[in-house]
Amino acid sequence: MDLGIPLVRRTTDTSARPDTTRLVDRFGRIATDLRVSLIDKCNLRCTYCMPAEGLPWLKRAELLDTEEMNRLIRIAVEELGVTTVRFTGGEPLLRQDLVDIIAATAALPSRPTTSLTTNGINLGGFAEPLVRAGLNRVNVSLDTLDRDVFKQLTRRDRLDDVLAGLAAAKEMRLEPVKVNAVLMRGINDHEAGDLLRFCIERGYQLRFIEQMPLDAQHEWDRGQMITAEEILERLGSEFALTPDVAERGSAPAERWLVDGGPATVGVIASVTRPFCAACDRTRLTADGQLRSCLFSTTETDLRGPMRAGAEDAELIRLWQETMWAKAAGHGMDSGEFAQPSRPMSAIGG
């Protein structure tokens, strides 16, 4: 599906592609991390993500059903070399068959590491069944510890539910429990130190994320974004930060030891310090579209061929060709960069 934004023109020439089943691209990267968006709906209305009234959600018939989702995950893991699967949304805990999909993934012979990114609202009631299904860990979004600011940012009064979800995840040993926070200028940017203290005291791993141009309103303003440099300046005024010498690999977060360690804090600087050269991710949307990058301007339809009776070999070929055509980077510093048509809630984090 062409989303109409002329940033990357995908090639179908695979003549130079190595003879391997793995998801290689033209720049030597191998995708082993699958991000699966299970649903586009969300029970929050975060101001930096979507309007107060929500969005036109995908119809049920457009979503991959349980069998289709399990089939594509199986192909990725058993045929294409994927070793980690992260379930995202929207809000994945709104999908009724979530536990069944996780259980099927964990039961694969080449069992991948599994994780879940959630806003945490329903996590308190799901932590135990998620563990029984085989989930390994969670990422929980939490931008503020202030109830009024939480209501302002999310348009919902659900802070207590998120905090309870975090505690339940820790109790059920869905570890490391990672907390993702986005700082907004003039709203919650003064809370950087408080968020870090909160996480250290409870054994959570905090990661600050630069706000990315993935909002449905297309109102992202680079000049208003709190940069990684600013985040580190704020933290540095309250803590002694030293670079973590542990190998980063393809991890999106740069990590710092806090006051000598062992606690760490991470910063994901997708905008100002892109890590595209080490990217190992491939993405599947809830409606069966493949994306080679979070900021892709093209998608490859797997749902259509699958429902038309395509064999696994055809789906494998489409997946391999999509990743072979992956661009060197997201091009955010290019004068031609344009925000993807799909917002984060439809792509998956």
Side-chain angles (χ1 to χ4, degrees), residues 50-309:
M50 66 178 69
E53 65 274 14
L55 296 167
W57 309 122
L58 292 167
K59 297 179 175 61
R60 179 181 292 273
E62 296 175 302
L63 295 172
L64 296 179
D65 63 26
T66 311
E67 182 179 352
E68 291 168 336
M69 190 69 75
N70 288 342
R71 181 185 178 189
L72 292 179
I73 294 172
R74 173 185 59 77
I75 287 173
V77 173
E78 298 298 327
E79 304 293 342
L80 298 173
V82 163
T83 57
T84 60
V85 178
R86 179 182 297 186
F87 299 99
T88 73
E91 172 46 48
L93 292 177
L94 295 179
R95 179 145 177 163
Q96 294 182 350
D97 58 354
L98 168 65
V99 172
D100 294 332
I101 292 172
I102 292 174
T105 302
L108 291 170
S110 302
R111 176 175 178 168
T113 301
T114 56
S115 61
L116 177 80
T117 297
T118 173
N119 61 31
I121 287 178
N122 295 332
L123 186 56
F126 270 92
E128 185 174 350
L130 289 173
V131 169
R132 288 201 308 265
L135 188 71
N136 295 117
R137 65 172 188 82
V138 293
N139 287 40
V140 180
S141 298
L142 178 65
D143 301 324
T144 178
L145 298 170
D146 183 292
R147 186 181 308 280
D148 291 334
V149 175
F150 188 92
K151 287 192 290 185
Q152 178 185 357
L153 278 174
T154 69
R155 303 184 176 103
R156 300 290 186 272
D157 187 8
R158 304 297 297 272
L159 177 60
D160 288 344
D161 295 314
V162 179
L163 298 180
L166 279 165
K170 182 71 173 178
E171 182 180 356
M172 294 304 301
R173 299 185 179 179
L174 283 168
E175 297 178 307
V177 177
K178 295 185 178 181
V179 173
N180 296 338
V182 176
L183 296 182
M184 308 288 290
R185 195 175 302 280
I187 299 175
N188 66 334
D189 51 328
H190 62 285
E191 291 190 68
D194 292 338
L195 284 164
L196 182 51
R197 273 185 288 271
F198 169 84
C199 289
I200 290 175
E201 289 170 0
R202 289 158 180 80
Y204 308 147
Q205 291 186 8
L206 177 62
R207 305 191 307 173
F208 290 101
I209 304 176
E210 287 183 337
Q211 184 190 2
M212 293 179 283
L214 289 169
D215 60 309
Q217 307 94 306
H218 287 213
E219 294 176 351
W220 179 82
D221 181 351
R222 185 172 185 139
Q224 289 299 308
M225 178 188 69
I226 303 292
T227 66
E229 182 177 357
E230 290 178 277
I231 293 168
L232 292 172
E233 286 178 357
R234 283 164 167 75
L235 294 176
S237 67
E238 301 183 53
F239 306 91
L241 302 181
T242 53
D244 189 345
V245 298
E247 183 65 31
R248 179 181 176 184
S250 59
E254 293 182 82
R255 298 201 311 172
W256 281 263
L257 298 175
V258 180
D259 293 336
T264 63
V265 63
V267 178
I268 299 178
S270 301
V271 179
T272 63
R273 303 180 186 180
F275 39 88
C276 302
C279 181
D280 66 348
R281 285 169 285 288
T282 183
R283 297 176 180 274
L284 176 65
T285 66
D287 56 346
Q289 307 302 307
L290 274 181
R291 299 176 67 89
S292 61
C293 172
L294 186 62
F295 297 95
S296 288
T297 58
T298 57
E299 295 179 337
T300 300
D301 180 26
L302 293 186
R303 183 191 63 200
M306 185 164 51
R307 291 182 177 176

